[in-house]
């Protein structure tokens, strides 16, 4: 039985969407330093989509567990207690909106988790994020996606009373906001 609640899935989903926005804009805080430009880091662009992909698939799996439990379904033993088994069971109940895409997402997650050289891209993450969002909407967990936008600001320099520190500056708002 899932320890998640429907509200937990919604909160996890919104937090994930914010994390994606932050991760895609990891280079933006450097603009606040006044050096005039930002640069994408190929290593981060290689790692971040894969890490986020594993997380989004975990959210999908928790949502399916909750949905099955909440509906009071008894899953026969012929279905594995895995994401694969849950997708198959819900497909056989006629409740999955995009069966083949969900298995594709599961397959990609498995590659990322078990194959040393596996990776994914921001584009693949975005496409599969849309698929998972459609499925979560189909199951009634989420509504239309809020429009999250990245922003940041810094304060002016000011004196500091702390020994050995002449000036300080505050950086705030380095997160995603609903536009």
């Amino acid at each position: 039985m899932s320890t998640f609640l429907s509200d937990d899935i919604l909160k996890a989903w919104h937090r994930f969407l914010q994390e994606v926005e932050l991760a895609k804009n990891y280079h933006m805080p450097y603009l606040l330093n006044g050096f005039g430009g930002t640069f994408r880091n190929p290593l981060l662009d290689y790692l971040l989509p894969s890490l986020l992909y594993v997380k989004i698939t975990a959210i999908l799996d928790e949502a399916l567990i909750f949905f099955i439990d909440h509906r009071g379904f008894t899953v026969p033993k012929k279905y594995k207690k895995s994401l694969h088994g849950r997708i198959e069971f819900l497909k056989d109940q006629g409740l999955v909106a995009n069966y083949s895409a969900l298995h594709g997402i599961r397959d990609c997650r498995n590659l990322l988790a078990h194959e040393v050289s596996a990776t994914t891209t921001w584009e693949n993450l975005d496409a599969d994020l849309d698929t998972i969002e459609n499925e979560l909407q189909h199951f009634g967990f989420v509504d239309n996606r809020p429009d999250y936008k990245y922003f940041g600001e810094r304060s002016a320099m000011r004196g500091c009373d702390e020994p050995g520190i002449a000036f300080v500056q505050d950086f705030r708002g380095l997160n995603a906001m609903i536009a």
Side-chain angles (χ1 to χ4, degrees):
M1 185 149 216
S2 175
T3 59
F4 260 53
L5 301 173
S6 182
D7 285 347
D8 293 336
I9 293 167
L10 181 61
K11 288 176 188 173
W13 181 249
H14 284 283
R15 182 169 186 91
F16 178 80
L17 292 173
Q18 292 170 5
E19 289 170 357
V20 168
E21 187 68 18
L22 289 170
K24 284 181 176 180
N25 290 287
Y26 67 81
H27 62 292
M28 297 303 286
Y30 299 106
L31 283 175
L32 297 175
N33 289 329
F35 298 130
T38 68
F39 301 97
R40 304 235 17 125
N41 182 323
L43 181 59
L44 291 176
D45 285 330
Y46 175 80
L47 294 172
L48 289 173
S50 298
L51 295 170
L52 290 165
Y53 199 98
V54 171
K55 187 170 187 175
I56 194 174
T57 309
I59 293 170
L60 170 66
D61 197 19
E62 284 294 332
L64 297 183
I65 291 168
F66 177 84
F67 185 80
I68 290 168
D69 289 348
H70 184 70
R71 286 282 181 101
F73 289 124
T74 301
V75 180
K77 289 187 184 216
K78 74 176 187 173
Y79 299 99
K80 296 178 189 175
K81 289 186 176 187
S82 65
L83 180 57
H84 179 272
R86 287 182 273 284
I87 293 169
E88 289 296 315
F89 174 74
L90 291 170
K91 182 218 31 137
D92 289 349
Q93 303 302 308
L95 297 171
V96 173
N98 198 339
Y99 169 75
S100 61
L102 290 184
H103 273 306
I105 290 166
R106 181 191 57 81
D107 289 340
C108 183
R109 186 274 320 258
N110 288 349
L111 284 174
L112 293 170
H114 300 291
E115 296 293 327
V116 174
S117 61
T119 187
T120 193
T121 63
W122 288 115
E123 293 78 20
N124 190 50
L125 176 67
D126 285 340
D128 288 346
L129 186 150
D130 290 342
T131 299
I132 291 172
E133 181 175 56
N134 288 337
E135 204 67 43
L136 293 176
Q137 287 173 347
H138 175 73
F139 286 118
F141 290 114
V142 302
D143 291 322
N144 293 330
R145 184 183 313 175
D147 187 19
Y148 289 107
K149 298 291 182 195
Y150 182 87
F151 83 100
E153 65 185 18
R154 69 179 177 154
S155 70
M157 290 278 209
R158 65 180 187 285
C160 181
D161 295 335
E162 199 170 319
I165 299 177
F167 299 98
V168 295
Q169 205 171 20
D170 294 319
F171 291 84
R172 92 171 180 85
L174 297 177
N175 58 16
M177 293 296 294
I178 299 174

